[in-house]
Amino acid sequence: MRILVTGGAGFIGSHTVVELQEAGHEPFVLDNLYNASEKVIGRVEAITGKKVPFYKVDIRDREGLNRVFDEVKPEAVIHFAGLKAVGESVRMPWEYYENNIGGTLTLVDVMRQHGCKNIIFSSSATVYGDPAFIPITEECPKGQCTNPYGWTKSMLEQILSDIQKADQEWNVVLLRYFNPIGAHKSGTIGENPNGIPNNLMPYITQVAVGKLEKLHVFGNDYDTPDGTGVRDYIHVVDLAKGHVCALKKLTPGSGLSIYNLGTGVGYSVLDIVKNFEAATGITIPYVIDPRRAGDIATCYSSADKAHEDLGWKAENGIREMCEDAWRWQSSNPNGYDD
Ligand code: NAD
Ligand code: UFG
């Protein structure tokens, strides 16, 4: 299938392009490089041995999109492009709504004008808010988001669902990711956060490589086994493969499909520290700090629906996630600048 991958130079997008090529699809990457390096493209090509056509275009640029659609003639779009920093979204809500929502509205309009009505959208477990029950199934009601980033995901789910309802030619897949970590086994592509990482695993790997002094654990008084927050960490390559499996829901009449992409297993912050230390032999010094605003105690998925409908299941365990995150970080201490 010819697939346009927006945000395909980013962390999850680049891993998905690898898996698409390995599965025999033809991905085309569109990215404005706001949070990515063009070097990713060469690294993906080195992994798969295939060319990756790349377009430096913004999803808010209607003319640019029209040119790409005229040339590529995609049958489907996997839509990763967007801003994703939770704290930044609180300080810059307009930029988040304009980029994520405005950009997606333009993209979807260009898609329908070109007769391409198949989209897989990157949503997030954040749409469940403080979840009504655990493990979280897709039937769990959506909740109150605690930041504008989360609201963009929740609102875009609604917008894409409404568009599909109004025009049955659309096939829409909403994938709700839990916490992607790890990196491709080659160690040549991985997560490359700007500045000090917000997320747990890149923070830990930067402590391990000596760029940061110690980990700050945000609260140890949650109602969890060891008091620290519990999340469903998923290897980014498994997550990427979930997109390949989800393509089967882009057939005529499929309509709207919603899936959690998680492992169904929860690990606490201290579990992650211990597993990282065991996988790498490196000690991670840490201090306990107050809770981070907006965090919840526990968030992990039921991954059954994706298994039953798509035949997809995460294969990598926590050890591989830690080993692979470390292989990437230790061989690229400065990300794509190395
Ligand atoms: P990322 O920042 O690495 O990738 C996003 C890519 O989109 C970047 O390469 C960026 O340059 C590009 N981009 C941003 N705005 C754009 C625009 N206007 N036009 C064109 N390109 C643009 O992030 P990621 O972790 O790979 O996340 C991919 C998607 O998955 C995002 O939509 C994110 O919100 C979602 N998601 C991520 C997580 C996570 O923990 N990483 C969890 C749930 C959902
Ligand atoms: N944590 C720390 N110290 C840190 C960073 C994180 O203790 O330096 C803790 C957090 O308090 C939380 C856990 O580690 O308990 C995971 O935090 P992350 O920031 O890595 O991930 P979140 O679960 O907060 O959020 C992530 C993405 C969101 C996405 C969500 C989906 O950042 O965009 O997963 O589940 F919506």
Side-chain angles (χ1 to χ4, degrees):
M1 210 183 213
R2 294 169 71 80
I3 301 163
L4 186 68
V5 184
T6 75
F11 171 45
I12 305 170
S14 56
H15 287 82
T16 301
V17 171
V18 169
E19 297 308 318
L20 287 168
Q21 289 195 320
E22 307 278 23
H25 293 289
E26 272 186 276
F28 299 79
V29 170
L30 181 150
D31 200 299
N32 68 357
L33 299 181
Y34 175 81
N35 193 35
S37 160
E38 197 170 341
K39 288 186 188 162
V40 172
I41 303 296
R43 301 222 182 160
V44 170
E45 290 176 340
I47 292 171
T48 64
K50 294 180 185 159
K51 286 303 278 181
V52 177
F54 172 63
Y55 300 88
K56 184 171 185 283
V57 171
D58 193 297
I59 54 166
R60 293 164 296 179
D61 170 6
R62 183 178 289 272
E63 285 320 304
L65 286 180
N66 275 325
R67 281 195 301 276
V68 172
F69 273 77
D70 283 340
E71 191 177 318
V72 170
K73 299 187 175 50
E75 295 157 79
V77 172
I78 303 184
H79 178 33
F80 294 104
L83 304 177
K84 64 155 188 179
V86 169
E88 185 181 71
S89 79
V90 175
R91 293 190 300 278
M92 299 161 58
W94 187 87
E95 282 73 10
Y96 272 66
Y97 288 115
E98 196 265 341
N99 191 78
N100 293 4
I101 295 188
T104 303
L105 289 174
T106 304
L107 172 70
V108 164
D109 193 28
V110 170
M111 285 178 70
R112 64 181 179 178
Q113 283 171 12
H114 285 78
C116 174
K117 296 184 179 177
N118 292 312
I119 189 168
I120 296 180
F121 174 63
S122 296
S123 189
S124 167
T126 199
V127 301
Y128 294 113
D130 197 349
F133 51 83
I134 298 280
I136 305 171
T137 67
E138 292 79 355
E139 278 69 48
C140 185
K142 284 167 73 177
Q144 293 295 311
C145 297
T146 52
N147 56 76
Y149 163 73
W151 282 120
T152 68
K153 294 295 174 195
S154 190
M155 291 176 189
L156 282 167
E157 283 202 353
Q158 187 67 46
I159 290 168
L160 292 171
S161 303
D162 288 343
I163 288 170
Q164 194 285 323
K165 200 192 269 178
D167 177 355
Q168 302 288 315
E169 286 180 5
W170 277 94
N171 297 299
V172 172
V173 184
L174 308 177
L175 296 180
R176 295 174 175 162
Y177 310 156
F178 282 69
N179 290 54
I181 59 172
H184 190 264
K185 297 270 175 232
S186 63
T188 58
I189 57 172
E191 192 169 9
N192 187 26
N194 272 329
I196 296 177
N198 297 307
N199 297 117
L200 180 63
M201 185 53 86
Y203 203 104
I204 289 177
T205 58
Q206 291 202 11
V207 171
V209 84
K211 290 176 89 173
L212 295 167
E213 189 196 341
K214 56 179 180 286
L215 173 68
H216 297 260
V217 176
F218 298 142
N220 66 350
D221 57 352
Y222 285 105
D223 184 16
T224 61
D226 65 18
T228 66
V230 169
R231 296 290 183 274
D232 184 341
Y233 296 92
I234 173 167
H235 196 293
V236 65
V237 172
D238 285 325
L239 188 73
K241 288 180 177 166
H243 294 72
V244 179
C245 292
L247 290 171
K248 65 175 71 133
K249 286 285 163 185
L250 297 181
T251 45
S254 288
L256 174 70
S257 315
I258 304 179
Y259 295 103
N260 288 336
L261 292 184
T263 64
V265 181
Y267 287 102
S268 74
V269 176
L270 295 181
D271 288 334
I272 297 295
V273 170
K274 281 185 216 126
N275 277 284
F276 186 87
E277 290 180 340
T280 64
I282 299 167
T283 301
I284 301 297
Y286 66 84
V287 287
I288 306 292
D289 274 14
R291 292 181 179 193
R292 181 171 67 179
D295 275 357
I296 55 176
T298 304
C299 176
Y300 62 89
S301 67
S302 160
D304 294 347
K305 188 180 174 200
H307 189 210
E308 284 157 18
D309 285 13
L310 304 176
W312 171 88
K313 191 162 155 294
E315 283 162 4
N316 289 282
I318 195 64
R319 188 173 184 101
E320 286 101 336
M321 298 187 218
C322 292
E323 283 172 357
D324 295 343
W326 177 236
R327 186 177 306 107
W328 154 251
Q329 177 74 79
S330 56
S331 36
N332 304 269
N334 301 308
Y336 291 102
D337 294 335
D338 287 313

